[in-house]
Amino acid sequence: MLTFFFTDKNGKRCEIKNVLTAEISADVDVPADELVMTVPYDEKFGNADMLEAYDGKSLVFVGQADEIVSIVRTDGAIVRLSARSLAGRLLDNEAEPVTYVNPAAKFIFERHLKPFGIVGYDGDEHPFMGTIKIEKGMTEWQVLEKFCNGRYGKSPRITGAGFALMCGTYGGAKPIVFGRNGVGYTSLREYIKPCKVISQVKLRTEEYGGYKSVISNKCVADRIKRVRYVNAFLDNNAVKTADRMIENGNRQSFEIILECAECLCGVVGRRAVINDSLIGKREGLIVKSIKYSLGKNGESTTVVLGKENGDVADELHN
């Protein structure tokens, strides 16, 4: 079971002994993890600054309190504490407009991550060959995202413990196994959603022309027809926009939801395998999101799995 600590604005750190409820949410598509917890009312929590959660000795969440709410009810008073992980600082801070030439991971870390408490990174020291222009209004997170997409072709992730994953390795090559000889679960739901798939995106490339260019979804059969339109004349990144629309639709078309009676924080982004005696084996999966809950009935984690490469279910290929 997780243990929780808070540090006040004077730097005093202590364990939170009597946690009534706690939830930790993490998603590969959301930069910052979130912790929401309730505790019996104590005025000391009004001075809370940093919140931490540990699974044994492993730090699984650290973040600065975003909101502190005191609630008085007929059955007593409680305090609700909400915090985002350190990635929240990157979202909240605007980066200085500048242009970098051939920046490397270490430079990006030192300049844009370390000042906000990020403790380390996994990037190599081969530089990004070219320029990265930081426009006015870009956040520190957008700088990191731009560098990682350009250098590694991957979206970055900041773990709940404050470590920057730049290369998309997310916990290593070894997948987490659910089912036989792995993590147990109390229920499994598999969703196949053809309604989410986009079969084609048509592009308009001339100001007064029609939508004549077509980008097709190669992952689905011809029987699925669902078309979108993008005005490429107004969008300089129209092809990337179209690819992203198709990829997002594919990702949303298949997922497996597991209910597990234990803490599974820190597994978001990891490859996964299901080995079930009834439905068989499911491979090529990735942990899309988790929601950890702690309450009077103990702890549990809802785990959402999707296709690792943004693919669709096998049933949609045929």
Side-chain angles (χ1 to χ4, degrees), residues 50 64 86 89-90 93-96 100 105-121 140 162:
M50 301 297 293
Q64 196 161 27
L86 296 179
R89 293 177 172 176
L90 304 184
N93 281 274
E94 187 176 333
E96 178 184 356
Y100 296 138
K106 183 178 181 180
F107 177 84
I108 296 296
F109 171 74
E110 295 284 346
R111 185 77 180 260
H112 296 279
L113 305 183
K114 191 175 180 180
F116 300 99
I118 307 303
V119 295
Y121 67 100
E140 300 286 3

Side-chain angles (χ1 to χ4, degrees), residues 204-220:
R204 177 183 176 184
T205 58
E206 299 176 358
E207 184 175 5
Y208 300 107
Y211 291 81
K212 298 177 182 179
S213 297
V214 177
I215 296 178
S216 297
N217 186 347
K218 299 177 182 178
C219 293
V220 297

Side-chain angles (χ1 to χ4, degrees), residues 195-238:
C195 65
K196 297 293 185 180
V197 174
I198 295 173
S199 59
Q200 288 183 338
V201 176
K202 296 186 177 182
L203 306 179
R204 177 183 176 184
T205 58
E206 299 176 358
E207 184 175 5
Y208 300 107
Y211 291 81
K212 298 177 182 179
S213 297
V214 177
I215 296 178
S216 297
N217 186 347
K218 299 177 182 178
C219 293
V220 297
D222 292 338
R223 58 185 172 76
I224 294 179
K225 301 292 185 184
R226 196 164 288 105
V227 179
R228 297 290 184 269
Y229 294 85
V230 172
N231 190 341
F233 185 77
L234 299 177
D235 184 352
N236 293 329
N237 295 308

